[in-house]
Amino acid sequence: MRYLSLILVCLILIGCDKVEDPYEGIRVVSECAGTISDPNGNDTTEFKSESGFAKALIEEYTGHTCKNCPPQAQRLFDWAENEFEGKLVVLGVHAGNFAELVPDEGYVTDLRVPAGYDLQEKYEGGNSAPSITINRSQNPLTPGKWNTTMDSLANSSYFTSPRFDISATSIVNKNENKGIVEVRVSALTDIDVENIGLGIYVSEDSVIAQQLHRDKGVIPDYAHRHVLRKAITGTFGNSFVTGSFPQDTVISQTLCYDLDPIWNADNCSLIFFISNLDNSQLLQAEEMHMIK
Amino acid sequence: MLKLRYFIVFVSTLLTYSSNLFGQNVLQEAAKDPLEVHGNFNLTGQYYLTDSAIAAPPVTEKFLYNGYANVIATKGAFTAGLRYESYENVLLGFDPRFQGSGIPYRYFGFDNKGLSITVGNFYEQFGTGMLLRAYEERDLGLDNAIDGIRIKYDLGNGIRVKGIAGRQRFFFDKGPGILRGIDGEIYLNEFLSSWKENKFKLTLGANFLSKYQEDNNPDLVLPENVGSYSGRFTARYKNFSLTSEYSYKGNDPSFDNGYIYKEGQGLFVSASYSKKGFGINLSAKHIDNMSFRTDRDESLTNLLTNFLPALTKQHTYNLAATLYPYATQPTGEVAFQGDVTFRLKKKTWYGGKYGTRIMINGSAAFGLDSTRLNDLDSARKGYTANFFSPGEEEYFQDFNITIERKLNKKLKLKGMYMNMMVNNDITQYSGLNGPFKGKLYADIAVLDVLVKLNPKNSIRTELQGLWSKQDMGDWATLIIEYTYSPHWFVAVMDQYNYGNPVENNQLHYPYATFGYIKGANRVSIGYGRQKAGLFCVGGVCRVVPSSNGMSITVTSSF
């Protein structure tokens, strides 16, 4: 029995590590603690970017009276799903003439948001719809130029050379219409950019509203894909890192926001982008479901 | 790593101590015994046809199979074995990471004077398995065998101890975590001389299990060593029996629990009474954050360390077994089950000439009575839960009654009625109509008729019906089996989803099979449609996709 007691003591000694502070040395306790009064209604979703590749943000300027937009949007989503195998984050920005309300003709759902106005103003998107920007690295491109640009992007090393590892925690409380998002960004290499910004957007998929279609005419219950709903940060991102961002450094930011009751949170996503604030171009993007 | 080294030193010491017991020349002893070689073979293959009506996915290889063969050699105190497995390519519904062929299971063992040592792969269970159950269930694609060292020692006087260390199987590789554990059991009626004749029988047991996995998470400080322990007893007095196990697990953030640092605990209690013609069993359990794996980031049935049985009846009739079975919720549930079996006397007006057997079963599973905590606070505990207190949300409910009666020497009847509720927000079943939300209520009735035409020929017929207003609506099933003993059998089955609210999905699923059995060899060939569903064993489930095609099964043993 002495041997048995010895064995048991040995095992107990090597057996377990009790962690009192899961975040010790990694990050501070959330600035948003206390935002939600009753956490019983919380839905918490964890996200971690897939290692080994970077995603690009495609912003499509569109509108409900743009009859060419639905087939071209489908083209983008097909690309995202097939050729690019999930490496594209597609966002529908309803802005410009084609997004204006026309109540007499039944176009009564306003999908425009302040962030969309900012983007339209800066990039002049929406004046000719559909048009897209890729990581905001050029002015909006009309569909005739998409093939060449996308081919060039596919053949570049962008997707296989991620510069950041992005992980996040999304907490949503539908009862209180509150959301908290904590984004953690780790530099995979030394980042030589002076002013780095972090942007967080809310998008909603399958928003049902009337849409004009080139081939099908007016579709009263069209499902609008990945509609820009809100910029939780500033439209071009909040200042995140200044000076240097050395390899293996992890920096996090936590933000609280209100859920608009008209959103279906189950269909919403959070889009993260890391930008160069000096020229507004994006360095990398990611997307996660707001609720698992 | 330092702690691991200590453990290796400890195991080495134990082995050295154990070797003192091999005083006699066991090789000479073994030489006198004959070499015995046993084994078995199993092949299940399917030729797949495209069938868009039931959303059967296309299979580019057309033919897929799962096959294996075990060979076990024994000579005296020595035993060695291996299993060759081949999945070229793996059947639909099994994890594609099984693809390939090789020998993932091999071992060598030695038994002498109560000491048993196994090196290589082995299966093992501590107590009821709440902390450790390494086992295989091939139909689930589950094999969490441990590759390492196991030592069992029967110290005599009713005391048995076993220790294990190793890694678990992960397809054709091993998982990243290391398991170390010890289990002891004492049978007091052997240990205490004054209890030897006592009608009250008591067995006590306890175990400790620890897993090690490197912390490779940049966002959280993860515990690399997760400890757990449990205590159990089984008491018997005449016709009564009471068994219970309590288990505790230290903080173990994982994919399953949303990486929270809450400790886990579980309690299982089962009481039974039986006498001739009557038996009753009542059981209950509280499971709170007890998902345990040797890779905290894994899911499904991969690298499971423990086994948490569902406290629900394991139905065998097709509609009840495959449409809406219940899988244990390891993150938390409180469940109850009651079973009563009795026999009505034979040669009475109510029992009939041969007697009548009645089985009544009821079970219910609930969520935890819990309160959520702020997910971003410094402790990241997730929630608090009241011990053994069912929450407001009911997960599953089943009441069923089975009546068996033999009418005469040629005719035997069995009828079953079942009323069930499944909360699909928890079970997340998704059939041909896609996923649905909320609760499903269903009634199921079965009539099973066995007619023995003569000693060689028999026909068994099953009529089954499922009626529900939710999901895919009403189903009917007809099975006719003809057996020509001892070698041949043929069966036809049709499942008809006649009440599906989506008219295009009101489909038939016909299936025919025949087979030949001779000695230890069995060959069967089947052809037809198989609906999508869940296949569960003991509360652990695998999603089975719909398919159409011809299947072949060959089994043999020697």
Side-chain angles (χ1 to χ4, degrees):
Chain A
M1 290 302 285
R2 277 180 303 156
Y3 286 102
L4 293 177
S5 307
L6 185 64
I7 291 165
L8 204 57
V9 169
C10 288
L11 276 168
I12 289 168
L13 286 176
I14 68 164
C16 51
D17 305 331
K18 185 166 176 60
V19 176
E20 300 291 351
D21 182 0
Y23 308 115
E24 188 181 3
I26 294 181
R27 65 183 171 91
V28 296
V29 176
S30 166
E31 297 85 336
C32 292
T35 303
I36 295 168
S37 55
D38 179 9
N40 271 317
N42 284 4
D43 282 309
T44 303
T45 307
E46 296 287 346
F47 169 79
K48 191 173 189 327
S49 59
E50 197 169 327
S51 62
F53 70 80
K55 289 183 185 172
L57 178 64
I58 309 289
E59 284 161 306
E60 183 210 7
Y61 292 91
T62 185
H64 44 203
T65 57
C66 166
K67 64 181 180 184
N68 289 320
C69 288
Q72 296 300 338
Q74 189 57 49
R75 200 174 149 205
L76 286 175
F77 285 108
D78 288 345
W79 265 331
E81 194 170 321
N82 302 318
E83 280 88 341
F84 288 87
E85 296 177 323
K87 298 188 187 83
L88 299 182
V89 177
V90 181
L91 179 66
V93 181
H94 289 250
N97 300 334
F98 294 104
E100 286 180 3
L101 300 184
V102 190
D104 294 346
E105 297 178 21
Y107 297 98
V108 293
T109 306
D110 196 352
L111 298 177
R112 296 170 297 177
V113 292
Y117 294 135
D118 295 342
L119 290 168
Q120 184 206 0
E121 189 179 340
K122 184 171 180 69
Y123 297 103
E124 298 179 343
N127 294 337
S128 173
S131 58
I132 61 169
T133 57
I134 303 169
N135 273 353
R136 299 180 187 167
S137 56
Q138 71 289 87
N139 285 326
L141 303 166
T142 49
K145 296 175 184 169
W146 290 4
N147 272 342
T148 319
T149 313
M150 296 303 267
D151 283 348
S152 156
L153 182 66
N155 293 326
S156 74
S157 61
Y158 172 81
F159 293 115
T160 54
S161 309
R163 286 189 268 186
F164 305 97
D165 182 78
I166 302 170
S167 62
T169 304
S170 164
I171 300 172
V172 171
N173 191 309
K174 291 182 196 169
N175 301 337
E176 300 180 23
N177 282 327
K178 296 285 184 190
I180 300 173
V181 57
E182 182 191 71
V183 187
R184 301 172 290 277
V185 179
S186 164
L188 299 175
T189 180
D190 292 336
I191 306 296
D192 187 22
V193 175
E194 193 66 25
N195 291 308
I196 294 177
L198 171 70
I200 307 174
Y201 286 0
V202 175
S203 74
E204 183 180 354
D205 197 22
S206 302
V207 179
I208 305 298
Q210 183 167 296
Q211 172 72 43
L212 186 61
H213 192 288
R214 181 185 64 195
D215 305 319
K216 300 173 184 172
V218 176
I219 304 174
D221 54 354
Y222 180 78
H224 293 264
R225 305 292 310 275
H226 297 274
V227 177
L228 170 61
R229 285 302 205 176
K230 179 174 188 161
I232 296 174
T233 56
T235 302
F236 303 99
N238 290 353
S239 178
F240 190 52
V241 182
T242 52
S244 67
F245 197 175
Q247 185 176 353
D248 296 332
T249 310
V250 182
I251 297 181
S252 69
Q253 187 162 91
T254 305
L255 293 165
C256 333
Y257 60 98
D258 294 327
L259 270 66
D260 191 319
I262 66 165
W263 302 346
N264 179 352
D266 292 320
N267 290 346
C268 286
S269 293
L270 292 167
I271 292 172
F272 312 120
F273 59 82
I274 298 162
S275 61
N276 180 342
L277 288 175
D278 293 333
N279 61 16
S280 296
Q281 291 188 5
L282 307 192
L283 304 173
Q284 200 168 311
E286 262 303 346
E287 183 179 27
M288 71 175 284
H289 288 293
M290 188 183 274
I291 297 173
K292 184 162 56 181
Chain B
M1 288 304 290
L2 196 60
K3 288 175 177 176
L4 193 65
R5 278 192 211 119
Y6 287 145
F7 182 73
I8 292 166
V9 170
F10 151 68
V11 171
S12 308
T13 310
L14 188 66
L15 279 172
T16 309
Y17 167 70
S18 304
S19 67
N20 293 336
L21 295 163
F22 309 150
Q24 59 187 293
N25 191 335
V26 287
L27 284 173
Q28 282 180 352
E29 289 275 316
K32 295 174 191 166
D33 294 313
L35 174 68
E36 291 181 21
V37 180
H38 299 284
N40 64 326
F41 169 80
N42 182 290
L43 172 78
T44 305
Q46 185 162 356
Y47 184 85
Y48 293 90
L49 299 172
T50 304
D51 189 342
S52 55
I54 58 170
V59 176
T60 51
E61 302 96 324
K62 302 291 183 191
F63 181 79
L64 304 173
Y65 72 86
N66 293 0
Y68 67 89
N70 281 300
V71 180
I72 299 162
T74 310
K75 187 167 175 59
F78 298 95
T79 180
L82 61 83
R83 182 170 61 240
Y84 176 83
E85 296 181 14
S86 181
Y87 310 87
E88 302 287 6
N89 285 337
V90 65
L91 287 168
L92 287 187
F94 289 84
D95 197 309
R97 286 175 287 184
F98 271 114
Q99 184 179 321
S101 299
I103 300 175
Y105 189 86
R106 74 281 178 271
Y107 68 93
F108 174 78
F110 175 85
D111 280 282
N112 187 39
K113 291 188 173 178
L115 181 72
S116 166
I117 292 173
T118 306
V119 293
N121 299 102
F122 56 87
Y123 297 106
E124 186 52 78
Q125 178 167 334
F126 288 173
T128 62
M130 287 176 92
L131 292 183
L132 176 70
R133 187 184 181 202
Y135 70 114
E136 67 159 339
E137 187 57 63
R138 308 208 68 82
D139 291 333
L140 287 177
L142 189 159
D143 185 351
N144 58 2
I146 298 168
D147 189 2
I149 293 172
R150 176 180 61 187
I151 302 169
K152 289 183 177 182
Y153 195 23
D154 187 340
L155 294 166
N157 293 327
I159 303 174
R160 283 175 286 273
V161 183
K162 53 190 171 187
I164 62 108
R167 291 176 192 259
Q168 285 184 291
R169 177 184 176 182
F170 187 61
F171 305 104
F172 281 99
D173 203 348
K174 280 180 275 190
I178 303 170
L179 277 177
R180 301 74 58 94
I182 186 166
D183 178 81
E185 195 167 81
I186 179 166
Y187 180 39
L188 287 176
N189 298 72
E190 277 186 37
F191 184 71
L192 303 172
S193 53
S194 58
W195 279 42
K196 278 200 169 33
E197 303 303 321
N198 203 332
K199 286 182 179 172
F200 179 73
K201 315 281 183 193
L202 184 62
T203 305
L204 301 174
N207 62 76
F208 181 84
L209 184 75
S210 169
K211 72 161 179 177
Y212 169 81
Q213 185 184 3
E214 188 186 1
D215 174 7
N216 52 6
N217 189 317
D219 303 318
L220 297 168
V221 180
L222 295 172
E224 295 190 323
N225 291 286
V226 175
S228 59
Y229 58 80
S230 84
R232 61 183 186 270
F233 73 87
T234 299
R236 291 191 183 87
Y237 181 74
K238 295 182 178 175
N239 296 332
F240 290 95
S241 171
L242 178 66
T243 185
S244 182
E245 178 163 1
Y246 171 80
S247 59
Y248 172 90
K249 181 166 69 84
N251 54 180
D252 181 22
S254 66
F255 174 81
D256 287 331
N257 67 14
Y259 296 94
I260 61 170
Y261 286 68
K262 186 181 188 305
E263 293 77 11
Q265 61 177 339
L267 178 65
F268 171 77
V269 187
S270 176
S272 61
Y273 171 81
S274 64
K275 65 174 191 176
K276 191 180 177 185
F278 179 78
I280 183 168
N281 177 272
L282 301 171
S283 42
K285 69 171 180 178
H286 168 93
I287 298 293
D288 179 5
N289 195 25
M290 282 302 288
S291 169
F292 203 8
R293 302 174 192 270
T294 45
D295 184 350
R296 59 176 81 89
D297 301 317
E298 267 304 328
S299 59
L300 302 173
T301 56
N302 298 327
L303 293 169
L304 280 169
T305 300
N306 60 351
F307 173 70
L308 304 167
L311 277 192
T312 56
K313 182 169 179 169
Q314 300 301 298
H315 292 282
T316 52
Y317 288 111
N318 191 285
L319 288 177
T322 63
L323 268 177
Y324 306 107
Y326 181 67
T328 303
Q329 301 301 310
T331 49
E333 67 175 18
V334 177
F336 306 93
Q337 180 172 227
D339 258 315
V340 180
T341 305
F342 57 97
R343 186 177 284 277
L344 301 179
K345 266 189 175 176
K346 60 185 178 183
K347 293 177 183 171
T348 59
W349 63 269
Y350 50 87
K353 187 178 177 183
Y354 297 92
T356 300
R357 192 167 171 234
I358 299 175
M359 289 160 281
I360 300 170
N361 169 273
S363 61
F366 300 84
L368 296 174
D369 178 12
S370 61
T371 306
R372 286 287 296 268
L373 301 173
N374 192 327
D375 306 84
L376 285 179
D377 73 7
S378 60
R380 203 179 161 89
K381 292 278 185 183
Y383 61 90
T384 58
N386 293 323
F387 191 68
F388 235 124
S389 171
E392 286 178 5
E393 192 170 17
E394 189 171 9
Y395 289 173
F396 184 82
Q397 184 182 298
D398 174 5
F399 172 80
N400 59 82
I401 178 166
T402 306
I403 301 173
E404 272 182 38
R405 177 179 276 200
K406 187 175 172 182
L407 294 183
N408 55 48
K409 285 183 179 174
K410 291 190 173 180
L411 185 61
K412 190 175 178 183
L413 298 179
K414 191 172 175 181
M416 186 194 83
Y417 167 76
M418 172 180 174
N419 176 275
M420 66 182 294
M421 182 283 292
V422 176
N423 185 338
N424 206 49
D425 296 339
I426 303 301
T427 53
Q428 301 198 322
Y429 173 80
S430 177
L432 198 54
N433 292 7
F436 64 98
K437 292 193 171 183
K439 293 180 176 175
L440 173 138
Y441 298 89
D443 293 290
I444 298 175
V446 179
L447 179 62
D448 183 337
V449 182
L450 175 66
V451 181
K452 283 191 176 177
L453 301 171
N454 55 48
K456 279 204 158 189
N457 295 275
S458 63
I459 295 176
R460 197 174 74 86
T461 308
E462 271 181 35
L463 282 166
Q464 300 182 30
L466 180 149
W467 298 274
S468 175
K469 288 178 179 162
Q470 290 83 32
D471 191 30
M472 292 191 287
D474 304 335
W475 289 78
T477 296
L478 171 67
I479 301 173
I480 301 172
E481 281 178 3
Y482 167 65
T483 305
Y484 179 67
S485 298
H487 299 307
W488 294 94
F489 65 91
V490 60
V492 290
M493 175 173 87
D494 184 34
Q495 289 189 310
Y496 181 30
N497 189 193
Y498 66 94
N500 196 312
V502 180
E503 205 168 321
N504 286 341
N505 292 345
Q506 291 176 359
L507 299 171
H508 284 273
Y509 295 82
Y511 195 82
T513 182
F514 77 94
Y516 178 76
I517 304 168
K518 188 171 185 183
N521 302 323
R522 184 180 192 274
V523 179
S524 70
I525 292 173
Y527 178 77
R529 269 180 175 172
Q530 292 175 63
K531 65 174 170 51
L534 283 177
F535 177 76
C536 298
V537 179
V540 182
C541 300
R542 173 174 72 86
V543 176
V544 180
S546 53
S547 66
N548 189 345
M550 179 179 285
S551 63
I552 180 166
T553 305
V554 181
T555 59
S556 182
S557 58
F558 58 91

